[in-house]
Amino acid sequence: MAKLDPELQQGLATMTTAAVSEDALIAEDIDSARSRNLAIPMMQARLENAGRFSGIPLASASYRTASQCLAQAVYYEAALEPEAGQRAVAQVVLNRVRHPAYPNSVCGVVYQGYSQRVCQFSFTCDGALTRTPQANLWKRAQAVANDALSGRVMPDVGTATHYHADYVVPKWAYTLGKITKIGRHIFYRFPGSPGRSASFYRGWSGREILPSIDFDRFRLAASQQDDAVSIEPAYTPGLTVEPDVKDRHAVADVGGRIDTTKTWRLSIPDPVQLSAGYRSTLEGQGETQPHQIPNEETQP
């Protein structure tokens, strides 16, 4: 196998399938991503296949473990994809098993980086595994996995080792060879000799291990996220007590509200009676006690 470009080799660990939920994106983001993905040209090199996968005894415990890991990849990465899209995802996993750049076991490929901040298949490190699979979709994923482990090949993706959803554009999409699009996923292979079929020569490791997942960290992360997005009560300037439906307090009013439970009442002072400065000004103008209301006793 020709060696990978050093920069590409260094970036392998971060070339994840991770994608934000489509529901979390606005239409402009999705449209922009699809346009940019369309602008990436298809690879002109001849499509080659990595060949049939074999080597795991069908009746062995390793086969059952490998089947579970591969079915998980198919389900959590492509449960709602067409059957061809699911088979393509399974083919990517098995292509990696045979490529020297990756672990040479099915579970090793699927769970690569599962305990790290960035993993290769996003469902192993983003908490998706805490969701119980839907029975009918899980059964279909198992069938796809078993077919792939039994040697069925998905020729449309050839030697693809990467894919991503069409509504995101990872940086690594510009560094690999774009092969095809199936369903919502776009598939890529390594450029040059590392992506040729001759580089997919490695045999199966001889054992499969399903790693122990720390589900508590997913639950903790989810609870912390919920706390972070909790909405604080809106502050309304001028309110000293909680609003009440019987209030006549205007929405735009920035004045204080009277708390009538505190036994005090609003009192507006009379500037004529209490302001010495006001009276002094009037006296200086030759006026005294303007607007005085006559006493009933002095009236004729």
Side-chain angles (χ1 to χ4, degrees):
M1 184 197 78
K3 291 185 178 180
L4 291 173
D5 177 88
E7 185 176 350
L8 183 58
Q9 178 71 48
Q10 186 176 5
L12 280 182
T14 61
M15 295 169 70
T16 175
T17 63
V20 296
S21 170
E22 186 176 2
D23 294 337
L25 299 174
I26 59 176
E28 289 80 359
D29 292 336
I30 296 175
D31 291 341
S32 174
R34 287 173 178 161
S35 296
R36 291 163 61 194
N37 282 320
L38 285 171
I40 299 176
M42 291 290 184
M43 193 172 188
Q44 297 302 311
R46 180 174 60 88
L47 186 66
E48 300 181 10
N49 290 310
R52 293 166 54 88
F53 180 84
S54 61
I56 307 179
L58 297 182
S60 65
S62 288
Y63 180 88
R64 291 190 293 272
T65 303
S67 178
Q68 180 177 349
C69 288
L70 188 55
Q72 286 178 329
V74 172
Y75 179 86
Y76 288 103
E77 294 283 309
L80 300 180
E81 290 294 293
E83 182 177 318
Q86 294 190 340
R87 294 191 183 282
V89 168
Q91 187 69 55
V92 165
V93 173
L94 297 185
N95 284 351
R96 288 191 177 193
V97 173
R98 302 181 65 181
H99 198 283
Y102 296 99
N104 59 337
S105 68
V106 177
C107 292
V109 164
V110 171
Y111 281 90
Q112 186 177 10
Y114 76 96
S115 61
Q116 307 300 319
R117 185 179 61 84
V118 177
C119 53
Q120 290 295 300
F121 293 90
S122 57
F123 76 92
T124 66
C125 64
D126 66 2
L129 285 168
T130 59
R131 302 194 302 267
T132 302
Q134 186 174 322
N136 61 323
L137 296 178
W138 174 248
K139 184 176 180 180
R140 186 173 72 157
Q142 286 179 310
V144 170
N146 288 332
D147 281 350
L149 290 174
S150 299
R152 181 166 178 170
V153 175
M154 181 59 183
D156 292 356
V157 296
T159 57
T161 48
H162 295 77
Y163 62 86
H164 67 81
D166 65 353
Y167 52 84
V168 294
V169 189
K171 292 181 179 179
W172 55 257
Y174 296 97
T175 66
L176 303 181
K178 182 179 176 182
I179 295 177
T180 189
K181 181 176 184 293
I182 302 176
R184 305 299 299 274
H185 287 145
I186 304 173
F187 294 83
Y188 301 79
R189 54 156 273 189
F190 286 128
S193 297
R196 299 287 300 275
S197 60
S199 293
F200 294 78
Y201 59 82
R202 218 164 44 151
W204 174 59
S205 66
R207 65 173 184 167
E208 293 287 343
I209 300 175
L210 183 65
S212 178
I213 305 297
D214 181 9
F215 290 102
D216 287 339
R217 74 183 178 102
F218 297 140
R219 299 186 184 97
L220 177 61
S223 64
Q224 291 175 340
Q225 184 176 10
D226 290 341
D227 292 341
V229 299
S230 61
I231 301 175
E232 294 293 333
Y235 171 71
T236 304
L239 295 186
T240 57
V241 293
E242 290 296 323
D244 187 271
V245 294
K246 298 185 292 299
D247 290 341
R248 295 190 179 187
H249 179 78
V251 175
D253 189 356
V254 296
R257 290 176 66 248
I258 299 173
D259 187 351
T260 56
T261 65
K262 304 302 183 184
T263 68
W264 56 269
R265 297 292 184 270
L266 178 65
S267 176
I268 301 176
D270 184 348
V272 175
Q273 299 297 324
L274 299 181
S275 175
Y278 180 74
R279 292 196 301 270
S280 175
T281 299
L282 293 179
E283 290 173 356
Q285 296 174 351
E287 301 181 26
T288 57
Q289 298 182 348
H291 311 299
Q292 182 177 17
I293 301 176
N295 190 314
E296 293 182 357
E297 298 178 356
T298 64
Q299 293 182 6

